[in-house]
Amino acid sequence: SQKIEQNSEALNIQEGKTATLTCNYTNYSPAYLQWYRQDPGRGPVFLLLIRENEKEKRKERLKVTFDTTLKQSLFHITASQPADSATYLCAREHTGGFKTIFGAGTRLFVKA
Amino acid sequence: DTGVSQNPRHKITKRGQNVTFRCDPISEHNRLYWYRQTLGQGPEFLTYFQNEAQLEKSRLLSDRFSAERPKGSFSTLEIQRTEQGDSAMYLCASSLTGVKDYGYTFGSGTRLTVV
């Protein structure tokens, strides 16, 4: 089956440092991966999409990479701030269908 | 346009009752999705509409669940004979065909508690 695996342990970092979150996928390489942010009690908010032919994509303090050899995407937040504290979800298209498959997310805590 | 709207935000119901949730997507979005999310898990796919046609439904979805999208606008998700295991956040999302770079736009969800 096509799955997304994210580190279930929370990530605690100090303000100003770079946070790096990992997303691994199984089976077929997806055409693209998506990253979302989710705050407690709210729906996910789309952040970035990276295609399999793109090695890296940036948006302001965010950077995403896509390594089809390792079947992995890394999500970086540089100069992290307490306001970046949230759960970050990785998602892939389901090959052969319409749905998007989400990982369980990684909780990020940024301490001031 | 204020984004994807879901109502109600919270619903508490007794086991065995029927509940219905509503989703109003972004008006120009032709794709609409329902997801379910439990604590500590990512959203789990339930069903997908393109315009008014329901094109995909999760095999995990029992026949107590039904969804409609009349006229390709708002959508409703009904759960009949609710069970405690149905307690979850029900999320609606919409998107535009062929425009992947903006991902899905999610609503704030409906939190269902079955007592």
Side-chain angles (χ1 to χ4, degrees):
Chain A
S1 62
Q2 300 171 37
K3 292 183 179 178
I4 289 286
E5 295 167 350
Q6 295 185 257
N7 192 344
S8 58
E9 287 186 19
L11 179 63
N12 290 280
I13 65 167
Q14 201 65 36
E15 183 177 11
K17 300 293 186 184
T18 296
T20 298
L21 284 66
T22 303
C23 170
N24 294 291
Y25 62 87
T26 62
N27 293 330
Y28 307 108
S29 185
Y32 54 88
L33 289 165
Q34 302 178 48
W35 284 89
Y36 290 78
R37 169 185 171 136
Q38 187 171 27
D39 292 288
R42 312 292 295 182
V45 174
F46 174 75
L47 296 175
L48 279 169
L49 179 148
I50 184 166
R51 291 179 167 76
E52 62 175 338
N53 61 350
E54 297 174 315
K55 297 298 181 189
E56 180 181 297
K57 199 157 191 178
R58 293 174 185 261
K59 178 183 175 184
E60 297 173 352
R61 294 184 296 110
L62 308 180
K63 184 179 86 171
V64 174
T65 62
F66 193 163
D67 189 325
T68 55
T69 302
L70 294 178
K71 294 191 174 182
Q72 183 178 84
S73 175
L74 297 179
F75 177 82
H76 306 272
I77 305 175
T78 58
S80 59
Q81 305 165 0
D84 295 325
S85 298
T87 295
Y88 290 87
L89 300 165
C90 176
R92 64 164 292 165
E93 53 150 2
H94 183 268
T95 306
F98 297 101
K99 64 187 176 187
T100 293
I101 300 168
F102 287 82
T106 298
R107 189 83 170 89
L108 172 67
F109 293 96
V110 181
K111 300 177 195 175
Chain B
D1 197 344
T2 56
V4 177
S5 176
Q6 290 189 248
N7 288 288
R9 288 295 311 278
H10 303 276
K11 178 72 177 178
I12 300 174
T13 191
K14 290 183 179 179
R15 190 175 52 189
Q17 298 293 306
N18 299 344
V19 293
T20 300
F21 310 140
R22 177 178 171 124
C23 171
D24 287 273
I26 292 175
S27 56
E28 60 265 30
H29 285 185
N30 58 339
R31 294 186 169 192
L32 186 146
Y33 307 81
W34 284 98
Y35 280 80
R36 175 173 64 189
Q37 187 176 26
T38 53
L39 197 63
Q41 300 299 313
E44 176 188 33
F45 172 79
L46 294 179
T47 191
Y48 160 69
F49 289 86
Q50 183 156 320
N51 299 311
E52 66 274 11
Q54 187 174 22
L55 297 185
E56 190 170 351
K57 189 175 175 181
S58 170
R59 284 174 285 179
L60 301 174
L61 211 58
S62 78
D63 55 10
R64 295 185 298 105
F65 287 72
S66 62
E68 294 182 339
R69 192 184 182 195
K71 301 179 183 178
S73 55
F74 71 93
S75 175
T76 58
L77 177 69
E78 181 183 18
I79 309 174
Q80 296 182 326
R81 305 180 303 281
T82 52
E83 301 171 356
Q84 287 189 320
D86 297 332
S87 295
M89 174 78 89
Y90 289 83
L91 293 163
C92 176
S94 68
S95 69
L96 194 58
T97 298
V99 180
K100 294 186 172 64
D101 295 83
Y102 300 106
Y104 291 176
T105 302
F106 280 88
S108 292
T110 294
R111 167 77 63 189
L112 172 67
T113 302
V114 181
V115 297

